[in-house]
Amino acid sequence: MKYKNPVIKGFYPDPSVCKVNGKYYLVCSSMQYFPAVPLFESEDLINWKQIGNCLTRESQIALRGVNSSGGVFAPTIRYNNGRFYMVTTNSTTQQNFYVYTNDIYAEWSEPIYVNQGGIDPSLYFEDGKTYFLSNGSDDIGVEGITQCEIDIETGEKLSPSVNIWQGTGGRYIESPHMYKIGEYYYLMVAEGGTEYGHMVTYARSKDIYGKFESYPYNPVLTNRNLGGFEIQGVGHGDLIQDEYDQWWILHLGFRQIDQWLPYHHLGRETFLTPVYFNKDGWFTAGYNGTTIHEFEVKYPSKITQLEQKVYTFDNTNLKLDWLHIRIPNMQDYYFYDNTLTLIGTHITLDDVDSPTFIGLRQKDFDATATCDISVESGLGGITIFMDEQQHYDLYVKKLDNSYTITEKLNVGDIKHIQNSISIGEYSSITLEVTSNNFAYTFSAIVDGTKHILGTAQTKYLSTEVASGFTGVIIGLYAQNGTSKFKNFRLEYLS
């Protein structure tokens, strides 16, 4: 069986997975975006379909005023006694909490908070007990991976938080997950920071509180030494066994824009890497401990990897697939007869707030996004959005007796109008943004005549320039008035 990485493309970082009744369920980080914590389902670990979001109500997650790349960090999904649990961190309020549901297709509960610090929390269930893990300091101030027992009904701590492992010496130890396989407890973590030094390491013990023995050849999975290789930042994984007893790690990584250009703007994505246990009970991962574009695995089942290439209003769900910046005012969004009406407020894309915005994660480098637009008042358009300071905008603005179509580039403190054209009355305007690895091109088709307004380099929207933990969102937005969008189409060309 052959499959290609990433298996979930675009800004879907920090994956966590569990298996229930022959199906796999996966969650990812969402930071400042809402609804939060996207939820996926799969029958084969390779083809994933989003079936929901875990945090869909403001009462579940505080996102107002959250800076970009704040908010929801690194969730873990687990199943126990007929109930799904999703545990995560609001990094801005510094609270660890979990929600639950008995029906994976339904709403999740209100949050239950746990009084243990750190980030990247995880749950482990055994013999009627629930163990809560995170990174950070234990009750006496020892740094590393911290664990306590909790009451799963209330979140109350039933034991002190104690340090159980300090890793292999890599910086930013995080992402702890506990597994019982055979006679050993395996503790798998991430080290090195979620950048080019990222890696997966692990240790094992016959006691859940240790002492944990480090795998002699750590890191078990990393691409940190692969200069001139597109896939970088490999780490932060979750271990899963399939129905054929094959083990896998679902983990994050990112694709830089070129072999020798270390910039990435699509965000941290979800990759799948095979795992192999040795006779001595240790496991190895990937191709010589690395993740590659394509794996071929001996497998008893034939699986065809499918990929959606075109996204429209018709084949997406505005409440499921699309996302907003922080907590939206849903009264400003109307969808009827294939037309999305956005009522823009005074809040702009530059504000740490909730502008009238709805978007899809960019999933590949080569893409074309088009949309028909009519602006009744104010302005509206398409934005290529990384965060408040880094975004490229193509918008139509209504003046008293005319309109302008503008390409505006926002990079840090520089807010630059690259080009602007004026038009009078018109029959139709279609906005178009095309992209490849290196640049976006912005155009407008007015009554059949195409106007190319300009280009902008992708690298200025990259994490290396913008910083942060998110990826580019292709969004529709409005400001100070009403705009209508029809015939949206986002097509990936590779």
Side-chain angles (χ1 to χ4, degrees), residues 199-220:
M199 54 185 172
V200 176
T201 64
Y202 75 97
R204 71 184 187 185
S205 170
K206 291 186 178 181
D207 187 280
I208 195 168
Y209 280 98
K211 183 177 181 180
F212 280 88
E213 177 189 5
S214 178
Y215 171 53
Y217 304 104
N218 271 321
V220 68

Side-chain angles (χ1 to χ4, degrees), residues 181-337:
I181 305 170
E183 61 180 340
Y184 287 104
Y185 295 93
Y186 291 81
L187 177 61
M188 194 167 74
V189 306
E191 297 183 66
T194 185
E195 297 151 353
Y196 290 86
H198 213 196
M199 54 185 172
V200 176
T201 64
Y202 75 97
R204 71 184 187 185
S205 170
K206 291 186 178 181
D207 187 280
I208 195 168
Y209 280 98
K211 183 177 181 180
F212 280 88
E213 177 189 5
S214 178
Y215 171 53
Y217 304 104
N218 271 321
V220 68
L221 183 66
T222 185
N223 283 20
R224 65 183 181 179
N225 296 325
L226 297 182
F229 190 69
E230 183 187 52
I231 300 172
Q232 298 289 339
V234 166
H236 198 119
D238 204 357
L239 195 63
I240 192 76
Q241 184 182 28
D242 68 19
E243 60 183 309
Y244 303 110
D245 297 327
Q246 169 70 48
W247 288 87
W248 307 85
I249 295 178
L250 281 146
H251 59 89
L252 69 80
F254 57 78
R255 292 175 287 163
Q256 59 186 40
I257 63 175
D258 188 67
Q259 182 179 9
W260 300 111
L261 291 176
Y263 301 95
H264 74 281
H265 63 284
L266 300 184
R268 300 169 301 155
E269 307 174 284
T270 292
F271 291 74
L272 179 68
T273 296
V275 167
Y276 304 97
F277 274 84
N278 302 323
K279 292 181 180 179
D280 57 10
W282 296 110
F283 63 83
T284 61
Y287 176 74
N288 295 328
T290 68
T291 291
I292 55 179
H293 292 277
E294 184 176 271
F295 281 104
E296 184 169 6
V297 180
K298 293 182 179 179
Y299 211 64
S301 176
K302 183 178 180 181
I303 298 172
T304 301
Q305 188 171 17
L306 306 174
E307 184 174 2
Q308 185 174 344
K309 291 290 189 179
V310 176
Y311 296 80
T312 67
F313 287 152
D314 288 331
N315 68 12
T316 58
N317 185 326
L318 289 173
K319 295 182 179 180
L320 179 69
D321 304 297
W322 296 67
L323 69 169
H324 304 276
I325 302 172
R326 304 178 187 87
I327 305 297
N329 180 1
M330 293 310 300
Q331 294 181 346
D332 294 333
Y333 301 79
Y334 298 91
F335 186 74
Y336 179 74
D337 192 23

Side-chain angles (χ1 to χ4, degrees), residues 70-90:
V72 179
F73 275 22
T76 297
I77 187 169
R78 293 292 183 259
Y79 180 81
N80 186 61
N81 289 338
R83 178 171 285 180
F84 291 89
Y85 296 87
M86 188 284 296
V87 58
T88 189
T89 302
N90 186 331

